[in-house]
Amino acid sequence: MALQGHVQRDSKYAKLPKVELHVHAIGACRLSTLQELCRQYDVPYPHGDLDQFREVVALSQPQPSLVEFLKPFAAIRKLIRSRDDIERVSYEYCEDLARQNVVYAELRFSPFLPGRQQPIPGDDYVDAALCGLERGERDFRVKTRVILIFMRAQP
């Protein structure tokens, strides 16, 4: 039997331990966190409306192209501006995993991806992500690993 959509919290599948592989870190940010970062950095919600904001930063259906698929990532990347932001979203990711009974996850990100509004040095980016994940592992008893993405054309 194929599962469609998200597993309901009260279903028999919700109680099963799970793994999550190849998760894009930027795509795993909470909507509430992104809203707080908008307020913190005085960035208006795109289009000024919460529902439209959700459409800009989240995917609710398959996209026709890679370009369309990546648009939310660019919007979110502009809000992740500091080590604290990176550590926070990494930590919250672990909390979200635990709530879904995910026991192991591999989080993928590029510390050197161009386009961040206020670039964070790559080493600092990795350190902040690892710090958040380590705290999350300890507090929520999940296991995480990191897949770093490097662009061959980038130094």
Side-chain angles (χ1 to χ4, degrees), residues 11-114:
S11 78
K12 64 182 175 183
Y13 301 107
K15 296 178 178 119
L16 294 174
K18 299 166 201 67
V19 298
E20 192 165 61
L21 305 175
H22 198 88
V23 176
H24 296 260
I26 293 297
C29 296
R30 293 177 180 171
L31 183 62
S32 59
T33 298
L34 297 175
Q35 290 172 299
E36 288 177 31
L37 292 175
C38 281
R39 286 190 290 275
Q40 178 180 333
Y41 295 122
D42 199 26
V43 174
Y45 293 160
H47 312 295
D49 176 84
L50 182 58
D51 290 330
Q52 289 177 332
F53 178 65
R54 183 179 289 111
E55 288 178 22
V56 171
V57 298
L59 297 173
S60 60
Q61 57 190 341
Q63 299 299 302
S65 70
L66 180 60
V67 171
E68 293 299 314
F69 175 79
L70 293 176
K71 282 184 179 179
F73 293 92
I76 295 168
R77 238 186 355 263
K78 291 178 182 176
L79 295 172
I80 308 295
R81 299 184 182 186
S82 72
R83 285 183 54 105
D84 288 343
D85 298 342
I86 295 163
E87 184 174 340
R88 175 184 178 179
V89 299
S90 299
Y91 180 81
E92 289 176 347
Y93 175 67
C94 292
E95 183 177 18
D96 294 342
L97 291 173
R99 286 183 181 156
Q100 298 167 31
N101 204 25
V102 175
V103 296
Y104 175 84
E106 293 176 354
L107 193 62
R108 154 185 207 274
F109 62 88
S110 175
F112 305 102
L113 191 61

